[in-house]
Amino acid sequence: MEGFSGQPQGSAEHWSAGRPRRRRTSLLDLRSVAGQVLLLQIVIVVLLVVAAVTAVVLQAERDALREGSRESVVAAQSFASAPGVARALRSPDPTALLQPKAEAARKRSGVDFVVAMDTKGIRYTYPYPSEIGKKFVGTIGPALQGRTVVERAGGPPLPTGRGMAVQAVVPVTDAQGRIVGLVSAGITVKNVTAMPELPITLGAGAVALALAVTGTTLVSRRLLRQTRGMAPGELAELYEHHEAVLHAVREGVLITDAEGRLLLANEEATRLLGLPDHARGRPVRELDLPEPVRRLLASPEAVTDAVHLVGDRLLAMNKRPTYPRSGRGGSVVTLRDTTELAAITGRADVARQRLNLLYDAGVGVGTTLDVGRTAQELADVAVPRFADLVTVDLLDAVLRGWEPTAEGWRHLRRAAIAGDRGEVPVYRLGELISFSPLAPQMRTLHEGHGLLETDLRQASGWWEQDPERARKSLECGLRSLLSVPLRARGVPLGVANFYRRGESKPFEPEDLSFAEELAARAAVAIDNARRFTREHAMAVTLQRSLLPRGQPEQDALEVAWRYLPAEGGVGGDWFDVIPLPGARVALVMGDVVGRGLHAAATMGRLRTAVHNFATLDLPVDEVLGNLDDLVVRMDNEESRAAEGLEGEGVTGATCLYAVYDSVTGACTVARAGHPEPVLVRPDGTVDCPGVPASAPLGLGGYPFETAELSLPEGAQLLLYTDGLVEDRGQDIDVGMERLRRALDGAGDRSPEETCRTVIDTLKPAHSSDDIALLAARTRRFPPSRVAEWDVPSDPALVPSVRARCRETLAQWGLEEAGFTTELILSELVTNAIRYGSPPVTVRLLHGRGLTCEVSDGSSTSPRLRRAASTDEGGRGLFLVAQFAQRWGTRYTSRGKVIWTEQQLHDGATAAAGHTPVDFLLEQFDDLEP
């Protein structure tokens, strides 16, 4: 080519005098312009001939259809108007009369069929007798209205064979003009094969095609000679592309012939090999090139990525034959400078390894919210790809979840160790370390950036920390140290130390920036774990402070409980045992939706509310109803507070509330969306008592159903939250079955043993939800400690009530409490008779204290007030409140119960240092005589 050697050179076949020789092509070669023009002309002529033939065929078909329609209409009308047809249609046997006439008419008219039928379309005639009596296939509606119908036939096979049938349907009328039947005639149109114009059209098309092909062939031959097998623009474009590629590429290109002469060399090849200007056309062995390069250029073998040194450059050479399929000699050689690429590749490999390590750190560090585990993940990910030994030292406050302060920097605790320690005397895991102010660890904490000690033998601060330990570490092979701070939100959390041993390359300055990046990513995960640890500890502390801390004083139940917080955060599970008056106990088990401080605080509010409702001695369903209203109000408060913010969302909770009466053995239970309790009978059988399920708390407006259970003495009632029997990998039905198996035969176990067995059996390895469990074994109040009798509605009988109370207390050995109890009972009975309604009943219970209960049929509740000095009454309840430890009212289905509780150890005297008589005299001192 002219741009390379001044005169185009090439093979004898393809290049001659700087111009391409003519290719051996034919008119049928579609790659040439002539071949494409010939094909296009033939296609156009063929399409014109086909269009003409199609037009002739369609026109002939339309004419034939029009003629067939006319003939079928004429035939049908002629037969319909023939004499005797209308009369024959009314005869008893129309077929016998009309079939011969129809066949005769069909043959005379030349149609394919003539069909006579009734007005319902039932055939009386047909060329095929087997089709007579069947329904005519066609449209007869317009014919019944007096019109003629012409359509294409679609009925049984026609006797004329192939073709397109046309049929006409006409009405048959009698003398009065009434339509008495229908006649249809059809004919098959055979016009395609019988068209006289078709051969002429085809012949004309063939002549036109021959003329067009002949003319096109002559034109294409001339075009083929002029273009030499390709278009002139293609030749010019090929030359320009060839020139541009050889000059623009950053690779050197050499072309040699079969004798080893250099035919072409572009500018890049000239520069890389240092070729002189007159090198083209000379044998490559005469060029001033290294011997391996000359041997490669002169040999006929193909070469792939052979690297040779030419001057100060490393050249990658590829060689391929110029005509690999023709067997002729000649080669093309490409050259690429890899001198800079080798250095870049080495750095790229290191960078790629560092990026992979950072990616692995992002994935592998911070998989848990445990501070120690996160620190260990940082150490593990850096060994052995970055360091031989890694230690992580954290501030003691960080490990505890506290906010780190500068006062604690001197004391770091070893949180993680990774690598082959061998005989290296490193500090033990968990050991508290006091670093010297000049130690690299303390300096990096104060300065806020990493420190590099390329040679530990020259690190004076590292030696000062512990000379003996430093000496042994050097003997074990430690040579280099990188100490970088772990900082998050600008607050130091600790230090990460990376060591390399003698057989590894010492750390370099560029390693320091990578270590700081690695430590920065890990510090974020460690700080997240620290904050979670703090919040988790706060939530656990808050929740445990809100849960019962000890057994309440009561004789109705023997109870034991367990509470296990979830690993991922504290939830809102709670339980309670609330003593009630009348030897009764309330059992509560609840679960607040969500987790964290919000759930724990919500749980505390609900537990306090349950205590208040229980103190009011409300029925079980009313307690859950009031809780439901409270949760709804809390939801509204949360919704208003969270408007426009990302709040905690709507609060929801479940709750189970049960009241056990140890006197009667009755237990009233209701549950709001909570799992059903499990009952273990004294004989060891386990079942669910069938407490109806109600809607969870917070939905509002739904009633709560209750169940009355009769529990024998020694039975155990188990209350629990769903975390015990349900998790992500286990359905609740499977958990319930496991719980039943764990409780099977537990009738003789204590509640403490029952809780231990259930937790050991059902506790998951990694709990995702809180677990609360409460086991209560029933006791029965001794009948000998219960006294109950009815009181007639007569105030005059109140002294007899006091006398019976005195006798009962004497039997129980409580004579010291007699006067106080008589006073209390007298006031309560008098109020019941005076203001209540019968029946009036008195019940005394002797347990840990003395309980007096007076019930009547009224629902009116008494109120405590202070009487004026001039009032003659109104001091009864005031006296009761003074002498009783507690008093209150509870409502029943038959009325109400006024109850009092007295302590027995102090003689039932409420006023310290005074007798009941003294107290009474003091109350009446101000009254006038």
Side-chain angles (χ1 to χ4, degrees):
M1 297 181 65
E2 185 176 315
F4 296 93
S5 58
Q7 187 69 25
Q9 300 182 40
S11 65
E13 177 181 358
H14 193 69
W15 295 95
S16 176
R19 293 180 299 172
R21 298 185 61 184
R22 176 182 175 183
R23 296 186 301 183
R24 295 181 179 179
T25 58
S26 66
L27 292 177
L28 299 180
D29 186 3
L30 297 182
R31 292 177 296 179
S32 65
V33 177
Q36 293 176 2
V37 171
L38 175 63
L39 178 62
L40 180 61
Q41 293 287 347
I42 293 174
V43 169
I44 291 175
V45 172
V46 170
L47 290 177
L48 291 175
V49 172
V50 170
V53 172
T54 302
V56 172
V57 171
L58 291 177
Q59 182 62 38
E61 181 180 352
R62 283 196 296 272
D63 295 341
L65 284 174
R66 187 163 48 253
E67 181 65 21
S69 299
R70 186 188 64 78
E71 293 180 3
S72 61
V73 170
V74 171
Q77 290 178 346
S78 299
F79 188 81
S81 60
V85 173
R87 185 171 58 255
L89 288 172
R90 290 184 173 181
S91 66
D93 190 3
T95 301
L97 298 175
L98 297 176
Q99 177 68 10
K101 295 181 179 181
E103 287 300 304
R106 178 179 67 81
K107 294 176 181 178
R108 288 195 306 271
S109 60
V111 297
D112 293 330
F113 64 86
V114 175
V115 178
M117 67 193 85
D118 62 5
T119 57
K120 295 182 180 180
I122 303 302
R123 299 191 188 104
Y124 292 147
T125 66
Y126 202 75
Y128 299 142
S130 60
E131 300 294 328
I132 297 175
K134 296 182 180 179
K135 190 172 182 63
F136 175 72
V137 179
T139 304
I140 63 174
L144 294 175
Q145 297 177 1
R147 299 197 299 271
T148 299
V149 180
V150 180
E151 62 181 353
R152 294 188 180 185
L158 300 176
T160 54
R162 298 181 180 179
M164 181 172 55
V166 179
Q167 64 184 16
V169 182
V170 299
V172 179
T173 59
D174 58 6
Q176 289 75 27
R178 293 191 299 266
I179 298 175
V180 297
L182 304 173
V183 174
S184 175
I187 187 171
T188 301
V189 179
K190 297 181 180 180
N191 59 337
V192 177
T193 57
M195 288 189 303
E197 298 88 349
L198 186 59
I200 298 175
T201 304
L202 293 177
V207 172
L209 179 62
L211 293 175
V213 169
T214 302
T216 303
T217 302
L218 295 176
V219 173
S220 299
R221 284 182 177 177
R222 183 172 183 82
L223 182 61
L224 187 65
R225 289 194 301 270
Q226 294 293 332
T227 60
R228 299 180 180 270
M230 63 173 63
E234 184 180 0
L235 287 173
E237 185 179 8
L238 178 63
Y239 184 85
E240 292 172 358
H241 289 176
H242 194 191
E243 189 83 1
V245 168
L246 289 177
H247 284 284
V249 295
R250 288 294 305 275
E251 292 188 355
V253 178
L254 300 174
I255 298 179
T256 60
D257 60 9
E259 289 76 23
R261 291 192 304 270
L262 181 63
L263 301 180
L264 183 144
N266 66 351
E267 284 83 351
E268 184 68 10
T270 303
R271 184 183 69 85
L272 293 177
L273 295 178
L275 298 177
D277 296 337
H278 56 278
R280 297 177 181 86
R282 295 173 55 186
V284 293
R285 290 194 174 275
E286 299 178 0
L287 300 177
D288 185 15
L289 296 173
E291 179 58 28
V293 176
R294 290 201 302 267
R295 188 165 53 251
L296 182 146
L297 296 176
S299 65
E301 290 82 9
V303 177
T304 301
D305 290 336
V307 179
H308 294 281
L309 181 62
V310 179
D312 57 350
R313 301 178 182 275
L314 282 176
L315 302 182
M317 299 185 177
N318 290 274
K319 182 179 181 182
R320 294 293 184 273
T322 307
Y323 304 101
R325 294 186 179 89
S326 64
R328 292 172 296 184
S331 301
V332 175
V333 180
T334 60
L335 311 173
R336 185 174 67 256
D337 189 358
T338 63
T339 306
E340 298 177 357
L341 184 61
I344 295 174
T345 302
R347 291 194 297 269
D349 289 340
V350 175
R352 184 173 61 254
Q353 294 173 4
R354 297 289 171 83
L355 287 176
N356 291 337
L357 182 55
L358 287 177
Y359 173 79
D360 293 341
V363 174
V365 178
T367 59
T368 66
L369 290 174
D370 180 80
V371 176
R373 180 59 188 163
T374 305
Q376 187 62 48
E377 290 171 346
L378 167 61
D380 292 338
V381 79
V383 175
R385 290 187 288 176
F386 181 67
D388 299 321
L389 177 64
V390 177
T391 62
V392 180
D393 303 324
L394 299 178
L395 299 177
D396 200 46
V398 174
L399 289 170
R400 297 175 183 270
W402 302 342
E403 194 71 25
T405 59
E407 289 77 8
W409 287 8
R410 288 290 302 274
H411 304 288
L412 299 177
R413 191 174 297 275
R414 180 58 48 87
I417 305 174
D420 185 13
R421 285 175 281 177
E423 300 297 329
V424 180
V426 296
Y427 292 101
R428 298 186 307 274
L429 196 64
E431 184 175 353
L432 188 64
I433 309 170
S434 297
F435 283 104
S436 166
L438 297 180
Q441 291 82 358
M442 193 55 57
R443 288 175 56 197
T444 191
L445 269 180
H446 281 282
E447 297 174 10
H449 58 80
L451 293 177
L452 169 62
E453 297 288 353
T454 306
D455 189 354
L456 287 177
R457 292 173 296 183
Q458 309 298 326
S460 58
W462 183 72
W463 275 93
E464 180 181 328
Q465 170 65 29
D466 191 337
E468 182 62 23
R469 189 186 299 270
R471 183 184 61 80
K472 292 181 179 180
S473 298
L474 291 176
E475 292 176 356
C476 295
L478 290 188
R479 289 293 180 269
S480 183
L481 166 65
L482 271 178
S483 185
V484 295
L486 297 171
R487 298 173 61 90
R489 300 177 293 111
V491 178
L493 306 176
V495 180
N497 305 296
F498 303 91
Y499 295 91
R500 283 185 181 175
R501 308 183 70 146
E503 57 270 17
S504 300
K505 182 181 178 181
F507 286 114
E508 298 178 352
E510 56 266 23
D511 295 325
L512 181 59
S513 59
F514 172 77
E516 289 178 337
E517 176 65 22
L518 184 63
R521 298 192 178 196
V524 174
I526 292 175
D527 188 57
N528 290 337
R530 179 196 63 80
R531 297 170 67 183
F532 171 80
T533 301
R534 180 189 61 185
E535 294 181 3
H536 182 71
M538 292 173 58
V540 170
T541 302
L542 173 63
Q543 187 171 41
R544 291 194 181 278
S545 68
L546 297 175
L547 291 175
R549 298 189 179 184
Q551 296 273 4
E553 293 185 358
Q554 51 86 26
D555 298 323
L557 295 171
E558 180 186 356
V559 296
W561 57 68
R562 292 289 189 276
Y563 171 73
L564 302 176
E567 290 185 358
V570 175
D573 295 8
W574 94 91
F575 57 90
D576 221 332
V577 180
I578 307 173
L580 300 177
R584 296 174 304 129
V585 175
L587 299 177
V588 190
M589 180 66 69
D591 186 0
V592 176
V593 175
R595 61 184 60 208
L597 292 175
H598 179 265
T602 303
M603 177 270 290
R605 296 175 65 181
L606 294 182
R607 181 169 179 254
T608 302
V610 171
H611 268 274
N612 294 333
F613 298 145
T615 302
L616 296 175
D617 221 339
L618 298 177
V620 171
D621 56 340
E622 290 188 20
V623 170
L624 293 183
N626 290 327
L627 277 180
D628 185 51
D629 293 339
L630 175 61
V631 173
V632 170
R633 290 196 299 271
M634 294 167 62
D635 288 346
N636 295 334
E637 293 174 2
E638 290 290 340
S639 299
R640 288 193 296 269
E643 287 182 0
L645 300 174
E646 295 183 0
E648 293 287 347
V650 177
T651 302
T654 64
C655 184
L656 186 147
Y657 187 74
V659 175
Y660 172 69
D661 190 342
S662 63
V663 177
T664 63
C667 184
T668 306
V669 188
R671 60 189 181 106
H674 202 80
E676 187 175 7
V678 177
L679 179 62
V680 182
R681 302 188 181 277
D683 59 359
T685 58
V686 181
D687 63 352
C688 293
V691 180
S694 301
L697 302 177
L699 298 182
Y702 291 93
F704 297 95
E705 300 184 54
T706 61
E708 296 288 340
L709 310 178
S710 180
L711 303 182
E713 185 173 9
Q716 289 194 48
L717 192 65
L718 253 74
L719 311 182
Y720 53 90
T721 55
D722 56 359
L724 181 68
V725 295
E726 184 181 16
D727 59 23
R728 296 176 182 174
Q730 174 182 279
D731 188 70
I732 189 171
D733 293 334
V734 178
M736 289 298 297
E737 183 60 31
R738 293 180 60 198
L739 177 61
R740 291 189 184 96
R741 289 198 299 266
L743 294 174
D744 192 19
D748 56 346
R749 298 176 188 164
S750 66
E752 185 67 29
E753 294 173 341
T754 300
C755 288
R756 185 185 309 114
T757 301
V758 170
I759 292 299
D760 292 344
T761 304
L762 274 74
K763 178 186 176 183
H766 300 285
S767 177
S768 59
D769 194 5
D770 288 13
I771 296 176
L773 174 66
L774 175 64
R777 184 160 63 182
T778 60
R779 296 170 178 165
R780 295 299 290 269
F781 202 86
S784 60
R785 299 292 185 94
V786 180
E788 184 176 6
W789 65 90
D790 296 331
V791 178
S793 297
D794 185 0
L797 298 178
V798 173
S800 66
V801 174
R802 291 197 297 266
R804 187 163 183 178
C805 172
R806 187 165 50 251
E807 294 173 1
T808 302
L809 295 180
Q811 293 175 5
W812 290 343
L814 302 177
E815 291 84 354
E816 294 182 359
F819 181 83
T820 304
T821 306
E822 290 179 37
L823 176 62
I824 293 173
L825 200 58
S826 174
E827 293 294 337
L828 295 182
V829 172
T830 301
N831 286 341
I833 294 174
R834 181 176 297 176
Y835 304 109
S837 59
V840 178
T841 304
V842 174
R843 188 171 74 164
L844 300 179
L845 303 175
H846 178 204
R848 292 177 179 269
L850 181 61
T851 303
C852 299
E853 296 181 349
V854 177
S855 61
D856 65 84
S858 172
S859 60
T860 303
S861 175
R863 293 186 298 110
L864 178 65
R865 66 183 181 87
R866 177 177 290 275
S869 59
T870 58
D871 291 341
E872 295 183 1
R875 295 175 176 82
L877 281 181
F878 178 74
L879 295 176
V880 170
Q882 292 297 321
F883 291 126
Q885 181 185 7
R886 293 194 307 160
W887 76 280
T889 305
R890 73 172 181 270
Y891 295 93
T892 66
S893 59
R894 296 184 299 274
K896 69 176 179 297
V897 176
I898 309 296
W899 55 268
T900 66
E901 289 184 352
Q902 301 167 247
Q903 291 182 348
L904 299 178
H905 62 275
D906 58 354
T909 301
H914 291 71
T915 65
V917 176
D918 296 335
F919 182 80
L920 289 176
L921 292 176
E922 291 176 0
Q923 300 303 312
F924 290 95
D925 281 344
D926 295 334
L927 294 180
E928 295 181 359

